[in-house]
Amino acid sequence: MPAYRLTLEYEGTRFRGWQEQKNAPLTVMGALRRAVVEVAGTDPGGGAGLGGSGRTDAGVHALGQVAHLRLPRPVDPERFAAEVNERLPADVHLLSMRPAPERFHARHDATSRAYLYQVSRRRTGLAKRFVWWVRRPLDAAAMARAAAAIPGRHDFRHFAADPEGRRSEKKSTVVVVEAAQIATAGELVLVRVVASHFLWKMVRRLTGVLVEVGAGTFSPEDFAALLEPGSGPPPIVPAEHTAPPSGLFLERVLYPGDPPLAPPAPAFPVR
């Protein structure tokens, strides 16, 4: 079956995330599947037929989510993508569709994922759905000093949410982070984290505690201590400082041979 690599952007505000769920009919992947079925006349199925590079949670956006699609016969990618876009809701757009190797898998073949979080230092009437407005003054330099401790191999158990309400002994919370950057652009403080994979709510909790560092509540040293968890309770509980989903974007998914990331830039500027 011919395989294709799809790249999508979407505003996640009204969706229950990317992944299809039995009790949540409004998902991005569900919207994409319905559009593909209308154009192709057949359901590609789950798993190998249609799948994304990873889940984004309810309210989280994407600038470059990647999916694989397998169809029973070859199609003209440009024409097929145009017809799919005509059937997608206004807050989901198929940026590109191109032929891929027969065994291409959006999740398994990805080498890293980059998430971008936008923190606004002023109230905005235009970008509310794409930022987290923090009223307190923020020291971006202090946030950058704290974020410098993130790259490398760490146990992020304090920054992970447990969907079942109890931590599974078999599920590792160790993640190798390739890069963590803090940048400013106008009234925005941008937080970018790049890794092969992420734990549930990990980026939002990292951002939440970094904001507390920027506000002067915690020090960079307090933040670094969370990355070396001991046996006792943590001095800071990141779950209490989880950033809202509105400011989080899946920025890019990278594969072998892809160009490197450009410097962090706003998805929606706030001047």
Side-chain angles (χ1 to χ4, degrees), residues 11-221:
E11 179 193 335
T13 305
R14 71 186 184 97
F15 290 97
R16 296 294 298 170
W18 162 266
Q19 192 70 21
E20 290 178 294
Q21 306 169 50
K22 293 181 180 179
N23 59 347
L26 192 60
T27 66
V28 180
M29 185 174 169
L32 176 62
R33 180 189 301 280
R34 288 188 290 272
V36 167
V37 169
E38 287 188 34
V39 177
T42 183
D43 191 331
L50 175 65
S53 67
R55 301 184 179 189
T56 51
D57 293 332
V60 175
H61 320 294
L63 301 175
Q65 170 70 282
V66 176
H68 60 257
L69 172 65
R70 287 178 173 79
L71 297 171
R73 62 188 65 84
V75 298
D76 180 304
E78 186 174 348
R79 180 179 299 177
F80 191 92
E83 293 184 10
V84 167
N85 275 326
E86 289 181 359
R87 292 161 174 83
L88 285 172
D91 41 10
V92 182
H93 181 69
L94 179 54
L95 291 165
S96 66
M97 175 178 176
R98 67 190 196 198
E102 181 181 354
R103 295 182 180 275
F104 173 70
H105 194 287
R107 179 166 62 89
H108 296 157
D109 293 347
T111 57
S112 59
R113 296 152 177 85
Y115 275 91
L116 179 73
Y117 199 100
Q118 299 198 144
V119 180
S120 180
R121 293 181 285 190
R122 77 160 174 88
R123 186 175 183 271
T124 169
L126 300 177
K128 182 179 180 181
R129 292 178 295 181
F130 309 113
V131 301
W132 173 25
W133 172 38
V134 176
R135 299 171 184 243
R136 296 168 291 169
L138 295 178
D139 184 344
M143 295 173 65
R145 289 195 298 273
I150 298 175
R153 182 184 178 89
H154 300 287
D155 187 340
F156 287 90
R157 72 178 70 172
H158 294 321
F159 296 94
D162 187 351
E164 298 179 358
R166 54 182 176 81
R167 183 66 56 202
S168 170
E169 295 297 329
K170 295 182 180 180
K171 185 175 181 180
S172 173
T173 52
V174 174
V175 178
V176 178
V177 174
E178 299 173 20
Q181 298 167 279
I182 304 293
T184 58
E187 292 299 322
L188 294 177
V189 178
L190 306 176
V191 180
R192 176 197 273 171
V193 186
V194 184
S196 61
H197 71 285
F198 291 88
L199 308 174
W200 190 34
K201 296 188 179 180
M202 173 178 157
V203 177
R204 290 168 56 193
R205 291 184 174 178
L206 285 169
T207 300
V209 180
L210 286 171
V211 162
E212 294 300 322
V213 172
T217 308
F218 307 127
S219 70
E221 292 72 25

Side-chain angles (χ1 to χ4, degrees), residues 221-239:
E221 292 72 25
D222 293 330
F223 180 88
L226 294 172
L227 301 176
E228 305 296 336
S231 57
I236 303 169
V237 182

